[in-house]
Every structure is written in C-alpha cells, then in structure tokens.
Coordinates of all heavy atoms in Angstrom, one line a residue:
L1 N 102.1 51.7 -24.2 CA 103.0 51.1 -23.2 C 103.1 52.0 -22.0 O 103.2 51.5 -20.9 CB 104.4 50.9 -23.8 CG 104.5 49.7 -24.8 CD1 105.9 49.6 -25.3 CD2 104.1 48.4 -24.2
D2 N 103.2 53.3 -22.2 CA 103.3 54.2 -21.0 C 102.1 54.1 -20.1 O 102.2 54.2 -18.9 CB 103.5 55.7 -21.5 CG 104.9 55.9 -22.1 OD1 105.8 55.1 -21.9 OD2 105.1 57.0 -22.7
E3 N 100.9 53.9 -20.7 CA 99.7 53.8 -20.0 C 99.7 52.6 -19.1 O 99.3 52.6 -17.9 CB 98.5 53.7 -20.9 CG 98.2 55.0 -21.6 CD 97.1 54.9 -22.7 OE1 96.5 53.8 -22.8 OE2 96.8 55.9 -23.4
L4 N 100.2 51.5 -19.6 CA 100.3 50.3 -18.8 C 101.4 50.2 -17.8 O 101.4 49.5 -16.9 CB 100.4 49.1 -19.7 CG 99.1 48.5 -20.3 CD1 99.4 47.3 -21.2 CD2 98.2 48.1 -19.2
E5 N 102.5 51.0 -18.0 CA 103.7 51.0 -17.2 C 103.4 51.1 -15.7 O 103.9 50.4 -14.9 CB 104.6 52.1 -17.6 CG 106.0 52.0 -16.9 CD 106.9 53.1 -17.4 OE1 107.5 52.8 -18.5 OE2 107.0 54.1 -16.8
A6 N 102.5 52.1 -15.4 CA 102.2 52.3 -13.9 C 101.5 51.1 -13.3 O 101.7 50.8 -12.2 CB 101.4 53.5 -13.8
T7 N 100.7 50.4 -14.1 CA 100.0 49.2 -13.7 C 100.9 48.0 -13.5 O 100.8 47.3 -12.5 CB 98.9 48.9 -14.6 OG1 98.0 50.0 -14.8 CG2 98.0 47.7 -14.1
L8 N 101.8 47.8 -14.4 CA 102.6 46.6 -14.4 C 104.0 46.7 -13.8 O 104.7 45.8 -13.6 CB 102.7 46.0 -15.8 CG 101.4 45.7 -16.5 CD1 101.7 45.2 -17.9 CD2 100.7 44.6 -15.7
A9 N 104.4 48.0 -13.6 CA 105.8 48.2 -13.1 C 105.9 47.6 -11.7 O 105.0 47.6 -10.9 CB 106.0 49.7 -13.0
S10 N 107.1 47.0 -11.4 CA 107.3 46.5 -10.1 C 108.7 46.9 -9.7 O 109.5 47.4 -10.5 CB 107.2 45.0 -10.1 OG 108.3 44.4 -10.8
K11 N 109.0 46.7 -8.4 CA 110.3 47.1 -7.9 C 111.4 46.3 -8.4 O 112.6 46.7 -8.5 CB 110.3 47.0 -6.3 CG 109.3 48.0 -5.7 CD 109.3 47.9 -4.2 CE 108.3 48.8 -3.6 NZ 107.2 48.2 -2.9
T12 N 111.1 45.1 -8.8 CA 112.1 44.2 -9.4 C 111.7 44.0 -10.9 O 110.6 44.3 -11.3 CB 112.1 42.8 -8.7 OG1 110.8 42.2 -8.8 CG2 112.5 43.0 -7.3
N13 N 112.6 43.4 -11.6 CA 112.4 43.1 -13.0 C 111.2 42.1 -13.1 O 111.1 41.1 -12.3 CB 113.7 42.5 -13.5 CG 113.7 42.4 -15.0 OD1 112.7 42.1 -15.6 ND2 114.8 42.6 -15.6
V14 N 110.4 42.3 -14.1 CA 109.2 41.4 -14.3 C 109.7 40.0 -14.5 O 109.0 39.1 -13.9 CB 108.4 41.9 -15.5 CG1 107.3 40.9 -15.8 CG2 107.8 43.3 -15.2
E15 N 110.8 39.8 -15.2 CA 111.2 38.4 -15.4 C 111.6 37.7 -14.1 O 111.5 36.5 -13.9 CB 112.4 38.3 -16.3 CG 112.1 38.6 -17.8 CD 112.0 40.1 -18.1 OE1 112.5 40.9 -17.4 OE2 111.4 40.4 -19.1
E16 N 112.1 38.5 -13.1 CA 112.5 38.0 -11.8 C 111.2 37.7 -11.0 O 111.2 36.8 -10.2 CB 113.4 39.0 -11.0 CG 114.7 39.1 -11.7 CD 115.5 40.3 -11.1 OE1 115.0 40.8 -10.1 OE2 116.6 40.6 -11.6
E17 N 110.2 38.6 -11.1 CA 109.0 38.4 -10.3 C 108.1 37.3 -10.8 O 107.7 36.5 -10.0 CB 108.2 39.8 -10.4 CG 107.1 39.9 -9.4 CD 107.5 39.8 -8.0 OE1 108.6 40.4 -7.6 OE2 106.8 39.2 -7.2
L18 N 107.8 37.3 -12.1 CA 107.0 36.2 -12.6 C 107.4 35.9 -14.1 O 107.9 36.8 -14.7 CB 105.5 36.7 -12.7 CG 104.8 36.9 -11.5 CD1 103.4 37.6 -11.8 CD2 104.5 35.6 -10.8
S19 N 107.2 34.8 -14.5 CA 107.5 34.5 -15.9 C 106.5 35.2 -16.8 O 105.4 35.5 -16.3 CB 107.5 33.0 -16.2 OG 106.2 32.5 -16.2
A20 N 106.8 35.5 -18.0 CA 105.9 36.2 -18.9 C 104.6 35.3 -19.0 O 103.5 35.9 -19.2 CB 106.5 36.4 -20.2
K21 N 104.8 34.0 -19.0 CA 103.6 33.2 -19.1 C 102.7 33.3 -17.9 O 101.4 33.4 -18.1 CB 104.1 31.7 -19.3 CG 103.0 30.8 -19.7 CD 103.6 29.4 -20.0 CE 102.5 28.5 -20.5 NZ 103.0 27.2 -21.0
E22 N 103.2 33.5 -16.7 CA 102.4 33.6 -15.6 C 101.6 35.0 -15.6 O 100.4 35.0 -15.3 CB 103.2 33.6 -14.3 CG 103.7 32.2 -14.0 CD 104.6 32.1 -12.8 OE1 105.5 33.0 -12.7 OE2 104.5 31.2 -12.0
L23 N 102.4 36.0 -16.0 CA 101.7 37.3 -16.1 C 100.7 37.3 -17.2 O 99.6 37.9 -17.0 CB 102.8 38.4 -16.4 CG 102.2 39.8 -16.5 CD1 101.5 40.3 -15.3 CD2 103.4 40.8 -16.9
S24 N 100.9 36.7 -18.3 CA 100.0 36.5 -19.3 C 98.7 35.8 -18.8 O 97.6 36.2 -19.1 CB 100.6 35.7 -20.5 OG 99.6 35.4 -21.4
G25 N 98.9 34.8 -18.0 CA 97.8 34.1 -17.4 C 96.9 35.0 -16.5 O 95.7 35.0 -16.6
F26 N 97.6 35.8 -15.7 CA 96.9 36.8 -14.8 C 96.0 37.7 -15.7 O 94.9 38.0 -15.4 CB 97.9 37.6 -14.0 CG 98.4 36.9 -12.8 CD1 99.7 37.1 -12.4 CD2 97.7 36.0 -12.1 CE1 100.2 36.5 -11.3 CE2 98.2 35.3 -10.9 CZ 99.5 35.6 -10.5
I27 N 96.7 38.2 -16.7 CA 96.0 39.2 -17.6 C 94.8 38.5 -18.3 O 93.7 39.1 -18.4 CB 96.9 39.9 -18.6 CG1 97.9 40.8 -17.8 CG2 96.2 40.7 -19.6 CD1 99.0 41.4 -18.6
S28 N 95.0 37.3 -18.8 CA 93.9 36.6 -19.4 C 92.7 36.3 -18.5 O 91.6 36.5 -18.9 CB 94.4 35.2 -20.0 OG 95.3 35.4 -21.0
R29 N 93.0 36.0 -17.3 CA 92.0 35.8 -16.3 C 91.3 37.1 -15.9 O 90.1 37.1 -15.8 CB 92.5 35.0 -15.0 CG 92.8 33.6 -15.3 CD 93.2 32.8 -14.0 NE 94.4 33.3 -13.4 CZ 95.6 32.9 -13.7 NH1 95.8 32.1 -14.7 NH2 96.7 33.4 -13.1
F30 N 92.1 38.2 -15.9 CA 91.5 39.5 -15.6 C 90.5 39.9 -16.7 O 89.4 40.4 -16.5 CB 92.6 40.5 -15.5 CG 92.1 41.9 -15.5 CD1 91.4 42.4 -14.4 CD2 92.2 42.7 -16.6 CE1 90.9 43.7 -14.4 CE2 91.8 44.0 -16.7 CZ 91.1 44.5 -15.6
L31 N 91.0 39.6 -18.0 CA 90.1 39.9 -19.1 C 88.8 39.2 -19.1 O 87.7 39.7 -19.5 CB 90.8 39.7 -20.4 CG 92.0 40.6 -20.8 CD1 92.7 40.2 -22.0 CD2 91.5 42.1 -20.9
D32 N 88.8 38.0 -18.5 CA 87.5 37.2 -18.4 C 86.6 37.9 -17.4 O 85.4 37.6 -17.4 CB 87.8 35.8 -17.9 CG 88.5 34.9 -19.0 OD1 88.4 35.3 -20.2 OD2 89.1 33.9 -18.6
T33 N 87.1 38.8 -16.5 CA 86.2 39.4 -15.6 C 85.5 40.7 -16.2 O 84.6 41.2 -15.6 CB 87.0 39.9 -14.3 OG1 87.9 40.9 -14.6 CG2 87.7 38.7 -13.7
L34 N 86.0 41.1 -17.3 CA 85.5 42.3 -17.9 C 84.3 42.0 -18.8 O 84.2 40.9 -19.4 CB 86.6 43.0 -18.8 CG 87.8 43.5 -18.1 CD1 88.8 44.1 -19.1 CD2 87.5 44.5 -17.0
D35 N 83.4 43.0 -19.0 CA 82.4 42.8 -20.0 C 83.0 42.9 -21.4 O 84.1 43.3 -21.6 CB 81.3 43.9 -19.8 CG 81.7 45.3 -20.0 OD1 82.3 45.6 -21.1 OD2 81.4 46.2 -19.2
K36 N 82.2 42.5 -22.4 CA 82.7 42.4 -23.8 C 83.3 43.7 -24.3 O 84.4 43.8 -24.9 CB 81.6 41.9 -24.7 CG 82.1 41.7 -26.1 CD 80.9 41.1 -27.0 CE 81.4 40.9 -28.4 NZ 80.4 40.4 -29.2
K37 N 82.6 44.8 -24.1 CA 83.0 46.1 -24.6 C 84.4 46.5 -24.0 O 85.3 47.0 -24.7 CB 82.0 47.2 -24.3 CG 82.0 48.4 -25.2 CD 80.8 49.3 -25.0 CE 80.5 50.0 -26.3 NZ 79.3 50.7 -26.2
N38 N 84.5 46.4 -22.7 CA 85.8 46.8 -22.0 C 86.9 45.8 -22.4 O 88.1 46.3 -22.6 CB 85.6 46.8 -20.5 CG 84.9 48.0 -20.1 OD1 84.8 49.1 -20.8 ND2 84.3 48.0 -18.9
R39 N 86.6 44.6 -22.6 CA 87.6 43.6 -23.0 C 88.1 44.0 -24.4 O 89.3 44.0 -24.7 CB 87.0 42.2 -23.0 CG 88.0 41.1 -23.2 CD 87.5 39.7 -22.9 NE 86.2 39.4 -23.5 CZ 85.1 39.3 -22.7 NH1 85.2 39.3 -21.4 NH2 83.9 39.0 -23.2
I40 N 87.2 44.3 -25.3 CA 87.6 44.7 -26.7 C 88.5 46.0 -26.6 O 89.5 46.1 -27.3 CB 86.3 44.9 -27.6 CG1 85.7 43.6 -27.9 CG2 86.7 45.7 -28.9 CD1 84.3 43.7 -28.5
L41 N 88.1 47.0 -25.8 CA 88.8 48.2 -25.7 C 90.3 47.9 -25.2 O 91.2 48.4 -25.8 CB 88.2 49.1 -24.7 CG 87.0 50.0 -25.2 CD1 86.4 50.7 -24.0 CD2 87.5 50.9 -26.3
F42 N 90.4 47.0 -24.2 CA 91.7 46.7 -23.7 C 92.6 46.0 -24.7 O 93.7 46.4 -24.9 CB 91.5 45.8 -22.4 CG 92.8 45.5 -21.7 CD1 93.3 46.4 -20.7 CD2 93.6 44.4 -22.0 CE1 94.5 46.1 -20.0 CE2 94.8 44.2 -21.4 CZ 95.2 45.0 -20.4
V43 N 92.0 45.0 -25.3 CA 92.8 44.2 -26.3 C 93.2 45.1 -27.5 O 94.4 45.0 -27.9 CB 92.1 42.9 -26.7 CG1 92.8 42.2 -27.9 CG2 92.0 42.0 -25.5
R44 N 92.2 45.8 -28.0 CA 92.6 46.7 -29.2 C 93.6 47.7 -28.8 O 94.4 48.1 -29.7 CB 91.3 47.3 -29.8 CG 90.5 46.2 -30.5 CD 89.4 46.8 -31.3 NE 89.9 47.6 -32.3 CZ 89.4 47.7 -33.5 NH1 88.3 47.0 -33.8 NH2 89.9 48.5 -34.4

C-alpha cells in the first residue's frame, strides 16, 4: 500500500475526487496497456 500511495494520493479524498468504480476503471484500462509479465507483477 505504501508503494502505491505516492501514485494514487491526491490533495482531496479519493472518494471526493472519483468514485472507487471510476478509479477501478482507470486502473483496469491501464493494466490493458501493460505486457502480460508486467500486468501479472502488478496484480500479484
């Protein structure tokens, strides 16, 4: 969680900025841009 904090942290609360579902959609689309090995690393 600490590793991801710098990437996902925002000045406002995440719930105020985007719903969890929207953020999840962004991350899912991002994962589609990665090659298989990197996608596996990220998810695991």
